[in-house]
Amino acid sequence: MSDSSFIRSEMLQPQIPPVSERGIVKWLRENLFSGWLNSILTILALVALYFALSNSLPWVLNGVWDAGSLNDCRAILAARGEDAVGACWAVLSRWNQFIYGFYPVELYWRPTLAAALLIVALAPVLYFGLRRPTTYMTGGIGLLLLLSLFGLKTDTWHIGLAAAVFGALTAVAWLLPKKLLYVTLAFPGIGFWLLWGGSAWGPVAVMIGLGLVGALALWTIPRIGMILAALLAALLFLSWFMDPISSVLDFFGMILGWVLAPETVASILRPVAGLRDLLPLQPHVSGGLQSLLPVSLEQVDSDQFGGFLLAFVIGVTAISASLPIGIVLALGRRSDMPLVKMICVGFIEFVRGVPLITMLFTASLLLQYFLPPQTNFDLILRVIILVTLFAAAYIAEVVRGGLAALPRGQYEAADALGLDYWQAQRLIILPQALKISIPGIVSSFIGLFKDTTLVALVGLADPLQGIRKIVLADTDWKGIYWEPFIFVGCIFFVVCFSMSRYSMYLEQKLKTDHR
Amino acid sequence: MANAAKMTVTDEVAIQITAMNKWYGQFHVLRDINITVNRGERIVICGPSGSGKSTLIRCINRLEEHQQGQIVVDGTELTNDLKNIDKVRSEVGMVFQHFNLFPHLTILENLTLAPIWVRKVPKKEAEETAMYFLQKVKIPEQAHKYPGQLSGGQQQRVAIARSLCMKPRIMLFDEPTSALDPEMIKEVLDTMISLAEDGMTMICVTHEMGFAQAVANRVIFMDQGQIVEQNEPKEFFNNPKSDRTKLFLSQILGH
Ligand SMILES: Nc1ncnc2c1ncn2[C@@H]1O[C@H](COP(=O)(O)OP(=O)(O)OP(=O)(O)O)[C@@H](O)[C@H]1O
Ligand SMILES: [Mg+2]
């Protein structure tokens, strides 16, 4: 039999792989000392690590936690020995200002409750209404909330209420996790009310208005077409929240004023002057409801917001609003309709070309000119709007990348099955494009959240600049440097790292290609 | 192979293409196309690469737009009217060379999506129909897997089943087997043959000449965007008239 001819008489059965050694030694050899170059690098890295930690670790660990002022702190350190080093963590006794800004101390329970409800509102969205994680998140945050409320010395009445509410929510999470989405829907109103206080009917009327606008649009689009429906919805939106009648009257007044004397103009407009009180509808509705059933909380003004409370209000609102806006912009940029495409491209490129700081200054000054004169937005709201638009432009580009990565066959298959544009986008294209874009979207979110510290430039008290300066202005803590930075940095890190981990979970979860 | 007796052709016209022309920019890709397809007919289109076969059948469900002439599908003329386009698309199923299944949905969801959203069929009923057609293409056990977990041949059979779930009256196939390994080609062709036996009106772009001989009642040969020859399969293969056809046949059957 020659060497080149071979016939297998029996097929081989699969065998288990050879047993190799395991454990820490193997891991070390494979990962740290797998060759002379890697061994040298490992040793160099260890040396570098030693020098870095030998200087900073004692400083961190030997910190002074109990001191009334920086001088006390230094005295304590000096008493320990000639060259004792240590951080002065005692400055964190001002932690509450870093977290709550200038929010009235006796009302701390309100932002705390709002934060806990935010987590409950997020749970069903983040975990697709899966029972286990949703329940753990709801129950866990409930316990944490009760502990914090005890810590904040909230009165028993409020603690009892919170316990009842979160007990109920946890039960709902376990029995009907998807129903928690109602909390998500209601949260914008509840959160706003808890934070700013005032009549509960204000936010209710706002949400009713938005609901009506949405319902009107949904009802009219199939009946009278996209454009008319959009106009109608816009009209309802304007009459609910603004005062188009007064604007129109002012406009006519101005035109008439060019040719007629002011008194004549006034007499012409007098019969219709009553119409000026008609709109906006929102305050009428909320006022009416409030007089029927007064429910209100003590009002807190925007200038009392600061610290992480402010960062979270801006960050969370902007994050949740920028995603849908970004998606719409990305779709618009790929639209066949030239006008839509032009508007979207123009917006995206403009926003990306302008520094965020410029836009923040715009928020504090220019927006006032562009918006109708009656709208007296407060600064936080204006900042939120601009930060949202800013993030939306970036997200639009990230999502566009995801859309472009989809093979044309997906669009064609959707078309060939007879799905219309919106069905195809919603059911086929976006789920896949967004999945591809998750890392980019989350990067944008993380960037956005960290950029909330820039609001210091328009005079809002962000945790990093605003609050730190205020703490430093206290004569007790004048001259302290690293400690507040480290504290604020740690909190930012925890939040941003969680977002990043969640995005990895999500990618894993949505992985269905099995390739 | 196929049971020809069962495959009846009626006089009713399913697709009528008259004097149709299409350009990509300056490039005249389809030139003066005239085809009439009766209900129950099975047409095979072949021709060299780039001759416009895909473009032609993609015009039939308006994935591509034609610039001149007329295409009437099931009595509905294809114009810019979106309503007509949607109507035609829901009557015409299409199977692609690269399957184009939706990778983020399970097989069952792939099959029920269009019936639920386009035909407004209740979910339960849609799932029953889906299982019926999965049975028909012989892979009911894969219903809860994702497309990425299936072999190419299985994916293509799912794609066929997905089209069938819309209960189309006409099926278009664009080289359904040319992305498949030889051993999977047969399972897909068998599925198509059984579809033909059920009397489905079919237009297939394919170079599977065995399939053409077994089920087609007409073979259309295209080159440079035009119909060069069309004939019954027997005549077409045994007695081609045009030199181009002869050359083409010698190339694909030759070696
Ligand atoms: N979107 C397009 N823009 C411009 N030219 C195109 C486009 N799509 C196809 N073509 C050209 O039109 C011609 C016909 O293409 P088509 O895909 O219909 O050929 P085909 O016969 O299906 O070829 P194959 O057998 O390779 O699939 C080719 O020359 C191709 O280059
Ligand atoms: Mg082709």
Side-chain angles (χ1 to χ4, degrees), chain A residues 190-227:
Chain A
I190 300 175
F192 178 87
W193 182 54
L194 280 173
L195 291 175
W196 274 271
S199 160
W201 299 113
V204 167
V206 170
M207 308 246 321
I208 291 178
L210 292 177
L212 284 180
V213 170
L216 181 73
L218 283 183
W219 192 76
T220 46
I221 284 175
R223 286 173 178 76
I224 57 175
M226 198 75 176
I227 296 171

mmCIF file of all heavy atoms in Angstrom, chain A residues 190-227:
data_model
loop_
_atom_site.group_PDB
_atom_site.id
_atom_site.type_symbol
_atom_site.label_atom_id
_atom_site.label_comp_id
_atom_site.label_asym_id
_atom_site.label_seq_id
_atom_site.Cartn_x
_atom_site.Cartn_y
_atom_site.Cartn_z
ATOM 1 N N ILE A 190 -44.874 63.531 37.907
ATOM 2 C CA ILE A 190 -44.654 63.324 39.341
ATOM 3 C C ILE A 190 -43.319 63.926 39.761
ATOM 4 O O ILE A 190 -43.215 64.650 40.759
ATOM 5 C CB ILE A 190 -44.658 61.819 39.682
ATOM 6 C CG1 ILE A 190 -46.009 61.204 39.306
ATOM 7 C CG2 ILE A 190 -44.375 61.604 41.157
ATOM 8 C CD1 ILE A 190 -46.045 59.699 39.506
ATOM 9 N N GLY A 191 -42.291 63.624 38.972
ATOM 10 C CA GLY A 191 -40.961 64.118 39.306
ATOM 11 C C GLY A 191 -40.931 65.632 39.350
ATOM 12 O O GLY A 191 -40.414 66.241 40.296
ATOM 13 N N PHE A 192 -41.525 66.240 38.338
ATOM 14 C CA PHE A 192 -41.544 67.697 38.290
ATOM 15 C C PHE A 192 -42.240 68.261 39.526
ATOM 16 O O PHE A 192 -41.759 69.188 40.175
ATOM 17 C CB PHE A 192 -42.266 68.163 37.024
ATOM 18 C CG PHE A 192 -42.370 69.658 36.917
ATOM 19 C CD1 PHE A 192 -41.354 70.396 36.342
ATOM 20 C CD2 PHE A 192 -43.478 70.328 37.424
ATOM 21 C CE1 PHE A 192 -41.434 71.773 36.264
ATOM 22 C CE2 PHE A 192 -43.562 71.701 37.354
ATOM 23 C CZ PHE A 192 -42.541 72.421 36.772
ATOM 24 N N TRP A 193 -43.371 67.665 39.858
ATOM 25 C CA TRP A 193 -44.149 68.167 40.980
ATOM 26 C C TRP A 193 -43.374 68.020 42.290
ATOM 27 O O TRP A 193 -43.323 68.930 43.113
ATOM 28 C CB TRP A 193 -45.479 67.422 41.051
ATOM 29 C CG TRP A 193 -46.379 67.899 42.134
ATOM 30 C CD1 TRP A 193 -46.782 69.198 42.344
ATOM 31 C CD2 TRP A 193 -46.991 67.114 43.156
ATOM 32 N NE1 TRP A 193 -47.612 69.268 43.424
ATOM 33 C CE2 TRP A 193 -47.763 67.996 43.952
ATOM 34 C CE3 TRP A 193 -46.987 65.756 43.467
ATOM 35 C CZ2 TRP A 193 -48.503 67.556 45.036
ATOM 36 C CZ3 TRP A 193 -47.730 65.323 44.544
ATOM 37 C CH2 TRP A 193 -48.477 66.214 45.317
ATOM 38 N N LEU A 194 -42.756 66.852 42.490
ATOM 39 C CA LEU A 194 -42.000 66.645 43.717
ATOM 40 C C LEU A 194 -40.853 67.643 43.823
ATOM 41 O O LEU A 194 -40.561 68.180 44.888
ATOM 42 C CB LEU A 194 -41.446 65.221 43.769
ATOM 43 C CG LEU A 194 -42.429 64.135 44.195
ATOM 44 C CD1 LEU A 194 -41.797 62.761 44.042
ATOM 45 C CD2 LEU A 194 -42.890 64.362 45.632
ATOM 46 N N LEU A 195 -40.191 67.916 42.711
ATOM 47 C CA LEU A 195 -38.998 68.766 42.765
ATOM 48 C C LEU A 195 -39.351 70.232 42.920
ATOM 49 O O LEU A 195 -38.800 70.935 43.754
ATOM 50 C CB LEU A 195 -38.153 68.568 41.512
ATOM 51 C CG LEU A 195 -37.470 67.206 41.413
ATOM 52 C CD1 LEU A 195 -36.751 67.063 40.095
ATOM 53 C CD2 LEU A 195 -36.498 67.025 42.564
ATOM 54 N N TRP A 196 -40.276 70.702 42.097
ATOM 55 C CA TRP A 196 -40.576 72.131 42.133
ATOM 56 C C TRP A 196 -41.764 72.465 43.040
ATOM 57 O O TRP A 196 -41.939 73.615 43.399
ATOM 58 C CB TRP A 196 -40.851 72.642 40.718
ATOM 59 C CG TRP A 196 -39.599 73.030 39.979
ATOM 60 C CD1 TRP A 196 -38.999 74.255 39.978
ATOM 61 C CD2 TRP A 196 -38.814 72.202 39.123
ATOM 62 N NE1 TRP A 196 -37.887 74.225 39.197
ATOM 63 C CE2 TRP A 196 -37.731 72.982 38.651
ATOM 64 C CE3 TRP A 196 -38.891 70.884 38.718
ATOM 65 C CZ2 TRP A 196 -36.760 72.492 37.799
ATOM 66 C CZ3 TRP A 196 -37.919 70.394 37.860
ATOM 67 C CH2 TRP A 196 -36.871 71.193 37.411
ATOM 68 N N GLY A 197 -42.580 71.461 43.319
ATOM 69 C CA GLY A 197 -43.723 71.713 44.183
ATOM 70 C C GLY A 197 -44.791 72.544 43.484
ATOM 71 O O GLY A 197 -44.906 72.525 42.271
ATOM 72 N N GLY A 198 -45.593 73.268 44.246
ATOM 73 C CA GLY A 198 -46.711 74.007 43.677
ATOM 74 C C GLY A 198 -47.916 73.100 43.561
ATOM 75 O O GLY A 198 -47.967 72.009 44.146
ATOM 76 N N SER A 199 -48.879 73.561 42.753
ATOM 77 C CA SER A 199 -50.091 72.770 42.597
ATOM 78 C C SER A 199 -49.803 71.496 41.816
ATOM 79 O O SER A 199 -49.114 71.518 40.806
ATOM 80 C CB SER A 199 -51.152 73.596 41.865
ATOM 81 O OG SER A 199 -52.112 72.733 41.305
ATOM 82 N N ALA A 200 -50.370 70.385 42.264
ATOM 83 C CA ALA A 200 -50.172 69.123 41.553
ATOM 84 C C ALA A 200 -50.839 69.172 40.186
ATOM 85 O O ALA A 200 -50.491 68.419 39.294
ATOM 86 C CB ALA A 200 -50.745 67.970 42.359
ATOM 87 N N TRP A 201 -51.812 70.077 40.036
ATOM 88 C CA TRP A 201 -52.586 70.073 38.796
ATOM 89 C C TRP A 201 -51.829 70.716 37.648
ATOM 90 O O TRP A 201 -52.186 70.514 36.489
ATOM 91 C CB TRP A 201 -53.931 70.760 39.017
ATOM 92 C CG TRP A 201 -54.734 70.031 40.046
ATOM 93 C CD1 TRP A 201 -55.073 70.497 41.286
ATOM 94 C CD2 TRP A 201 -55.267 68.722 39.947
ATOM 95 N NE1 TRP A 201 -55.784 69.547 41.972
ATOM 96 C CE2 TRP A 201 -55.924 68.435 41.170
ATOM 97 C CE3 TRP A 201 -55.255 67.742 38.959
ATOM 98 C CZ2 TRP A 201 -56.556 67.232 41.413
ATOM 99 C CZ3 TRP A 201 -55.890 66.544 39.210
ATOM 100 C CH2 TRP A 201 -56.532 66.291 40.425
ATOM 101 N N GLY A 202 -50.792 71.494 37.964
ATOM 102 C CA GLY A 202 -49.985 72.093 36.888
ATOM 103 C C GLY A 202 -49.406 71.015 35.983
ATOM 104 O O GLY A 202 -49.736 70.952 34.789
ATOM 105 N N PRO A 203 -48.554 70.128 36.536
ATOM 106 C CA PRO A 203 -48.011 69.050 35.709
ATOM 107 C C PRO A 203 -49.095 68.142 35.135
ATOM 108 O O PRO A 203 -48.961 67.678 34.002
ATOM 109 C CB PRO A 203 -47.114 68.256 36.659
ATOM 110 C CG PRO A 203 -47.080 68.975 37.948
ATOM 111 C CD PRO A 203 -47.938 70.184 37.864
ATOM 112 N N VAL A 204 -50.174 67.929 35.899
ATOM 113 C CA VAL A 204 -51.244 67.086 35.357
ATOM 114 C C VAL A 204 -51.802 67.711 34.086
ATOM 115 O O VAL A 204 -51.974 67.051 33.062
ATOM 116 C CB VAL A 204 -52.368 66.894 36.401
ATOM 117 C CG1 VAL A 204 -53.609 66.290 35.749
ATOM 118 C CG2 VAL A 204 -51.884 66.012 37.542
ATOM 119 N N ALA A 205 -52.036 69.037 34.145
ATOM 120 C CA ALA A 205 -52.586 69.713 32.970
ATOM 121 C C ALA A 205 -51.601 69.668 31.807
ATOM 122 O O ALA A 205 -52.005 69.543 30.650
ATOM 123 C CB ALA A 205 -52.951 71.157 33.313
ATOM 124 N N VAL A 206 -50.301 69.767 32.117
ATOM 125 C CA VAL A 206 -49.298 69.668 31.048
ATOM 126 C C VAL A 206 -49.372 68.292 30.386
ATOM 127 O O VAL A 206 -49.409 68.173 29.159
ATOM 128 C CB VAL A 206 -47.875 69.907 31.600
ATOM 129 C CG1 VAL A 206 -46.830 69.553 30.549
ATOM 130 C CG2 VAL A 206 -47.720 71.346 32.041
ATOM 131 N N MET A 207 -49.452 67.248 31.233
ATOM 132 C CA MET A 207 -49.478 65.901 30.658
ATOM 133 C C MET A 207 -50.782 65.655 29.901
ATOM 134 O O MET A 207 -50.782 65.003 28.856
ATOM 135 C CB MET A 207 -49.289 64.839 31.756
ATOM 136 C CG MET A 207 -48.077 65.088 32.616
ATOM 137 S SD MET A 207 -46.706 63.957 32.600
ATOM 138 C CE MET A 207 -47.328 62.370 32.512
ATOM 139 N N ILE A 208 -51.890 66.207 30.429
ATOM 140 C CA ILE A 208 -53.154 66.075 29.692
ATOM 141 C C ILE A 208 -53.000 66.708 28.314
ATOM 142 O O ILE A 208 -53.380 66.140 27.292
ATOM 143 C CB ILE A 208 -54.321 66.754 30.458
ATOM 144 C CG1 ILE A 208 -54.637 65.971 31.731
ATOM 145 C CG2 ILE A 208 -55.564 66.830 29.574
ATOM 146 C CD1 ILE A 208 -55.737 66.593 32.564
ATOM 147 N N GLY A 209 -52.393 67.908 28.299
ATOM 148 C CA GLY A 209 -52.205 68.608 27.026
ATOM 149 C C GLY A 209 -51.396 67.778 26.052
ATOM 150 O O GLY A 209 -51.799 67.586 24.894
ATOM 151 N N LEU A 210 -50.261 67.267 26.530
ATOM 152 C CA LEU A 210 -49.410 66.456 25.644
ATOM 153 C C LEU A 210 -50.160 65.218 25.169
ATOM 154 O O LEU A 210 -50.096 64.848 23.994
ATOM 155 C CB LEU A 210 -48.125 66.052 26.366
ATOM 156 C CG LEU A 210 -47.164 67.206 26.675
ATOM 157 C CD1 LEU A 210 -45.959 66.698 27.447
ATOM 158 C CD2 LEU A 210 -46.737 67.901 25.398
ATOM 159 N N GLY A 211 -50.908 64.587 26.090
ATOM 160 C CA GLY A 211 -51.686 63.417 25.718
ATOM 161 C C GLY A 211 -52.714 63.757 24.642
ATOM 162 O O GLY A 211 -52.859 63.039 23.654
ATOM 163 N N LEU A 212 -53.398 64.911 24.824
ATOM 164 C CA LEU A 212 -54.405 65.312 23.838
ATOM 165 C C LEU A 212 -53.757 65.561 22.480
ATOM 166 O O LEU A 212 -54.269 65.128 21.448
ATOM 167 C CB LEU A 212 -55.117 66.583 24.306
ATOM 168 C CG LEU A 212 -56.160 66.393 25.416
ATOM 169 C CD1 LEU A 212 -56.786 67.733 25.789
ATOM 170 C CD2 LEU A 212 -57.251 65.427 24.946
ATOM 171 N N VAL A 213 -52.613 66.252 22.480
ATOM 172 C CA VAL A 213 -51.930 66.532 21.214
ATOM 173 C C VAL A 213 -51.577 65.209 20.522
ATOM 174 O O VAL A 213 -51.835 65.021 19.327
ATOM 175 C CB VAL A 213 -50.653 67.370 21.444
ATOM 176 C CG1 VAL A 213 -49.830 67.456 20.170
ATOM 177 C CG2 VAL A 213 -51.031 68.761 21.913
ATOM 178 N N GLY A 214 -51.015 64.264 21.307
ATOM 179 C CA GLY A 214 -50.640 62.975 20.732
ATOM 180 C C GLY A 214 -51.854 62.236 20.195
ATOM 181 O O GLY A 214 -51.847 61.729 19.071
ATOM 182 N N ALA A 215 -52.935 62.212 21.003
ATOM 183 C CA ALA A 215 -54.136 61.486 20.592
ATOM 184 C C ALA A 215 -54.719 62.105 19.326
ATOM 185 O O ALA A 215 -55.096 61.396 18.386
ATOM 186 C CB ALA A 215 -55.167 61.505 21.713
ATOM 187 N N LEU A 216 -54.746 63.447 19.290
ATOM 188 C CA LEU A 216 -55.280 64.130 18.107
ATOM 189 C C LEU A 216 -54.476 63.746 16.878
ATOM 190 O O LEU A 216 -55.038 63.424 15.823
ATOM 191 C CB LEU A 216 -55.228 65.649 18.329
ATOM 192 C CG LEU A 216 -55.779 66.473 17.169
ATOM 193 C CD1 LEU A 216 -57.286 66.362 17.117
ATOM 194 C CD2 LEU A 216 -55.363 67.927 17.276
ATOM 195 N N ALA A 217 -53.143 63.765 17.024
ATOM 196 C CA ALA A 217 -52.285 63.431 15.886
ATOM 197 C C ALA A 217 -52.556 62.005 15.417
ATOM 198 O O ALA A 217 -52.765 61.759 14.228
ATOM 199 C CB ALA A 217 -50.823 63.607 16.248
ATOM 200 N N LEU A 218 -52.599 61.073 16.387
ATOM 201 C CA LEU A 218 -52.813 59.678 16.012
ATOM 202 C C LEU A 218 -54.163 59.473 15.328
ATOM 203 O O LEU A 218 -54.292 58.699 14.396
ATOM 204 C CB LEU A 218 -52.737 58.779 17.253
ATOM 205 C CG LEU A 218 -51.340 58.489 17.778
ATOM 206 C CD1 LEU A 218 -51.398 57.534 18.951
ATOM 207 C CD2 LEU A 218 -50.472 57.918 16.666
ATOM 208 N N TRP A 219 -55.161 60.211 15.838
ATOM 209 C CA TRP A 219 -56.501 60.025 15.302
ATOM 210 C C TRP A 219 -56.624 60.641 13.906
ATOM 211 O O TRP A 219 -57.295 60.122 13.036
ATOM 212 C CB TRP A 219 -57.510 60.659 16.253
ATOM 213 C CG TRP A 219 -58.926 60.268 15.926
ATOM 214 C CD1 TRP A 219 -59.528 59.073 16.184
ATOM 215 C CD2 TRP A 219 -59.903 61.077 15.266
ATOM 216 N NE1 TRP A 219 -60.801 59.073 15.727
ATOM 217 C CE2 TRP A 219 -61.081 60.294 15.156
ATOM 218 C CE3 TRP A 219 -59.906 62.371 14.759
ATOM 219 C CZ2 TRP A 219 -62.227 60.781 14.558
ATOM 220 C CZ3 TRP A 219 -61.058 62.850 14.163
ATOM 221 C CH2 TRP A 219 -62.207 62.055 14.069
ATOM 222 N N THR A 220 -55.963 61.796 13.693
ATOM 223 C CA THR A 220 -56.164 62.509 12.434
ATOM 224 C C THR A 220 -55.246 62.042 11.310
ATOM 225 O O THR A 220 -55.612 62.138 10.154
ATOM 226 C CB THR A 220 -55.972 64.024 12.625
ATOM 227 O OG1 THR A 220 -54.787 64.236 13.383
ATOM 228 C CG2 THR A 220 -57.160 64.637 13.321
ATOM 229 N N ILE A 221 -54.044 61.537 11.650
ATOM 230 C CA ILE A 221 -53.101 61.200 10.572
ATOM 231 C C ILE A 221 -53.710 60.261 9.535
ATOM 232 O O ILE A 221 -53.644 60.533 8.342
ATOM 233 C CB ILE A 221 -51.784 60.620 11.142
ATOM 234 C CG1 ILE A 221 -50.937 61.757 11.707
ATOM 235 C CG2 ILE A 221 -50.982 59.887 10.064
ATOM 236 C CD1 ILE A 221 -49.682 61.306 12.397
ATOM 237 N N PRO A 222 -54.347 59.139 9.954
ATOM 238 C CA PRO A 222 -54.910 58.277 8.910
ATOM 239 C C PRO A 222 -56.122 58.891 8.215
ATOM 240 O O PRO A 222 -56.511 58.430 7.155
ATOM 241 C CB PRO A 222 -55.310 57.002 9.674
ATOM 242 C CG PRO A 222 -55.344 57.373 11.102
ATOM 243 C CD PRO A 222 -54.494 58.573 11.293
ATOM 244 N N ARG A 223 -56.720 59.918 8.804
ATOM 245 C CA ARG A 223 -57.942 60.465 8.221
ATOM 246 C C ARG A 223 -57.699 61.638 7.285
ATOM 247 O O ARG A 223 -58.277 61.729 6.212
ATOM 248 C CB ARG A 223 -58.906 60.875 9.340
ATOM 249 C CG ARG A 223 -59.539 59.659 9.992
ATOM 250 C CD ARG A 223 -60.364 60.036 11.202
ATOM 251 N NE ARG A 223 -60.984 58.832 11.766
ATOM 252 C CZ ARG A 223 -60.320 57.946 12.492
ATOM 253 N NH1 ARG A 223 -59.030 58.133 12.735
ATOM 254 N NH2 ARG A 223 -60.933 56.882 12.967
ATOM 255 N N ILE A 224 -56.810 62.570 7.701
ATOM 256 C CA ILE A 224 -56.642 63.765 6.872
ATOM 257 C C ILE A 224 -55.210 63.934 6.383
ATOM 258 O O ILE A 224 -54.873 64.938 5.776
ATOM 259 C CB ILE A 224 -57.078 65.037 7.629
ATOM 260 C CG1 ILE A 224 -56.282 65.176 8.925
ATOM 261 C CG2 ILE A 224 -58.566 65.008 7.925
ATOM 262 C CD1 ILE A 224 -56.581 66.456 9.656
ATOM 263 N N GLY A 225 -54.353 62.949 6.634
ATOM 264 C CA GLY A 225 -52.990 63.028 6.096
ATOM 265 C C GLY A 225 -52.031 63.701 7.054
ATOM 266 O O GLY A 225 -52.414 64.443 7.950
ATOM 267 N N MET A 226 -50.775 63.420 6.807
ATOM 268 C CA MET A 226 -49.684 63.831 7.691
ATOM 269 C C MET A 226 -49.646 65.349 7.923
ATOM 270 O O MET A 226 -49.602 65.812 9.057
ATOM 271 C CB MET A 226 -48.381 63.365 7.036
ATOM 272 C CG MET A 226 -47.222 63.324 7.952
ATOM 273 S SD MET A 226 -47.388 61.894 9.029
ATOM 274 C CE MET A 226 -45.863 62.011 9.897
ATOM 275 N N ILE A 227 -49.680 66.114 6.837
ATOM 276 C CA ILE A 227 -49.384 67.547 6.951
ATOM 277 C C ILE A 227 -50.487 68.275 7.704
ATOM 278 O O ILE A 227 -50.234 69.021 8.660
ATOM 279 C CB ILE A 227 -49.172 68.151 5.551
ATOM 280 C CG1 ILE A 227 -47.931 67.498 4.920
ATOM 281 C CG2 ILE A 227 -49.020 69.655 5.627
ATOM 282 C CD1 ILE A 227 -47.726 67.823 3.475
#
